[in-house]
Amino acid sequence: MINLIVACDRNRVIGKNGKLPWSIQEDWDYFLRTTAGGAMIMGKICYQEFETYAEGRELIALTRDRGYRFPHAKTAHSMKQALSLATQKPIWICGGEAIYQEAFPLADRLYLTRIDRTFDGDVYFPDWHNTFKKQISRKIMNKDGIQLEFLILGKE
Ligand SMILES: NC(=O)c1ccc[n+]([C@@H]2O[C@H](COP(=O)([O-])OP(=O)(O)OC[C@H]3O[C@@H](n4cnc5c(N)ncnc54)[C@H](OP(=O)(O)O)[C@@H]3O)[C@@H](O)[C@H]2O)c1
């Protein structure tokens, strides 16, 4: 099974200046808990943000730079290679933008947290509505006045 996992705001913003635009502990805990035990695939910028959480996880990080090696992850130069390096299941595609887009046709499910706010951002999650149409589960949480909608979506 290949899953995408992401949190986005009302406008599909996911990042700003190489970081998350928000600090929402409940969503971060959900992300760590949900991906534990699987293989995580991510781009170089995501890796740099996530590196301190790498211990005990199977991380596969992507770069086109053939001379580069990630210190706490397997290094891959294409999505195909990244998928072939994964030994744990399920495989979690963890972004960023271009990697999500590339993985849309490959993924079985989308684990999406919708944050009912707007944030400044420079990175967006691609529009998923025509790809992941089937709602598998939905949980709503309110945290400090912000509504979080935890969705698991599948394809028809
Ligand atoms: N809200 C969320 O759930 C969420 C999730 C993920 C990310 N984010 C945010 O999004 C931002 C990071 O995402 P991003 O899109 O800017 O960057 P990114 O995908 O993490 O990293 C981009 C880099 O990854 C490498 N890369 C990407 N696609 C590749 C491919 N097909 N083959 C080989 N290498 C590839 C390239 O590295 P080289 O330049 O070395 O070749 C590229 O410059 C951060 O702000 C982060 O906080 C948020």
Side-chain angles (χ1 to χ4, degrees):
M1 174 98 66
I2 299 176
N3 301 321
L4 305 186
I5 185 161
V6 69
C8 72
D9 85 346
R10 283 181 191 156
N11 299 316
R12 288 188 281 107
V13 163
I14 63 169
K16 184 170 166 67
N17 296 331
K19 308 267 184 228
L20 293 173
W22 48 75
S23 174
I24 302 176
Q25 193 61 43
E26 285 65 25
D27 186 58
W28 187 247
D29 290 346
Y30 173 77
F31 173 68
L32 292 177
R33 199 170 59 241
T34 305
T35 55
M40 303 172 78
I41 294 178
M42 62 187 71
K44 189 192 234 172
I45 296 170
C46 290
Y47 170 83
Q48 285 160 354
E49 196 183 11
F50 191 71
E51 191 174 24
T52 52
Y53 297 87
E55 200 180 328
R57 290 171 175 266
E58 182 175 41
L59 235 64
I60 301 154
L62 281 158
T63 174
R64 293 190 177 84
D65 180 348
R66 298 263 159 191
Y68 191 85
R69 289 286 171 274
F70 294 96
H72 304 293
K74 297 178 186 176
T75 301
H77 303 295
S78 68
M79 178 64 76
K80 191 176 169 196
Q81 186 189 12
L83 293 171
S84 75
L85 289 172
T87 61
Q88 308 289 320
K89 293 282 179 310
I91 292 173
W92 294 98
I93 307 287
C94 303
E97 185 170 342
I99 288 169
Y100 284 133
Q101 185 75 71
E102 190 175 350
F104 263 33
L106 310 171
D108 301 292
R109 289 187 176 179
L110 168 60
Y111 285 60
L112 172 66
T113 307
R114 298 183 78 174
I115 302 167
D116 193 18
R117 277 282 168 95
T118 56
F119 292 85
D120 279 343
D122 52 20
V123 190
Y124 291 81
F125 189 63
D127 190 350
W128 68 86
H129 294 91
N130 290 328
T131 308
F132 297 96
K133 295 181 181 171
K134 190 170 119 191
Q135 187 174 296
I136 295 164
S137 77
R138 177 174 184 260
K139 285 189 188 128
I140 300 276
M141 179 193 282
N142 272 287
K143 193 65 203 170
D144 302 328
I146 303 181
Q147 181 180 283
L148 305 176
E149 183 183 21
F150 295 91
L151 289 166
I152 302 176
L153 303 173
K155 293 175 170 171
E156 279 179 338

